[in-house]
Amino acid sequence: MLVGIGAYFASGQLLEFSVFFIVPISFFTWFVSRHTGLAASAVSAGFTLAANLESPMHAAHPHVAYWNAVVWLAFFALITVIIAELKVLYLRERQLSRVDNLTGVATRLAFYEVAEGEKNRAKRYQHSITIAYLDLDHF
């Protein structure tokens, strides 16, 4: 909403503000879902269209404002797809870094993450904790 207001005021000064819509679109795509990112892209393109229709530059030729909104929508959708795919790759690599390919056993990194979580939980509930592990050298 704030970026849309900025775009509205910037259009009166003949400034392009639509590129700043990438920040909320990226946020919604990464932290919520691809579909939410696409919805944010459509809303952002709508704000861009509204701001451009109010711009004195597009007063004589409003069809240019519609064309620009379609181009921005395509750009925002492309950014959404790229970020969603980056998240999928990130999660895949994160999982691969925590499991040994040969044995399927959790790696040392995964062990330390789980141990840290258990230590924090024991501290939070004021319980004692016992940890035992087996290290196989030259396995």
Side-chain angles (χ1 to χ4, degrees):
M1 207 54 175
L2 292 174
V3 178
I5 292 169
Y8 176 77
F9 287 118
S11 68
Q13 303 296 322
L14 301 178
L15 298 173
E16 185 58 56
F17 203 78
S18 299
V19 73
F20 294 109
F21 281 112
I22 293 174
V23 174
I25 290 169
S26 301
F27 178 83
F28 286 123
T29 303
W30 188 269
F31 292 107
V32 182
S33 71
R34 179 188 303 232
H35 296 295
T36 307
L38 289 172
S41 296
V43 169
S44 298
F47 275 118
T48 300
L49 175 63
N52 284 341
L53 287 175
E54 294 297 320
S55 171
M57 184 171 69
H58 294 98
H61 303 287
H63 58 280
V64 174
Y66 288 100
W67 170 255
N68 288 342
V70 169
V71 170
W72 277 111
L73 176 62
F75 176 71
F76 293 151
L78 178 66
I79 293 296
T80 300
V81 169
I82 289 171
I83 290 173
E85 288 301 315
L86 277 174
K87 184 176 181 184
V88 168
L89 291 173
Y90 166 76
L91 292 174
R92 185 175 137 246
E93 291 299 319
R94 186 171 187 257
Q95 177 63 27
L96 288 173
S97 71
R98 285 160 177 77
V99 176
D100 182 61
N101 288 338
L102 182 61
T103 62
V105 177
T107 63
R108 184 173 54 120
L109 174 64
F111 171 76
Y112 285 130
E113 286 179 350
V114 171
E116 184 69 26
E118 291 300 321
K119 185 179 91 172
N120 291 337
R121 184 179 4 200
K123 185 184 288 186
R124 181 174 53 239
Y125 294 113
Q126 297 177 349
H127 292 149
S128 60
I129 185 171
T130 303
I131 297 176
Y133 72 95
L134 181 63
D135 185 12
L136 300 175
D137 288 332
H138 308 295
F139 176 61

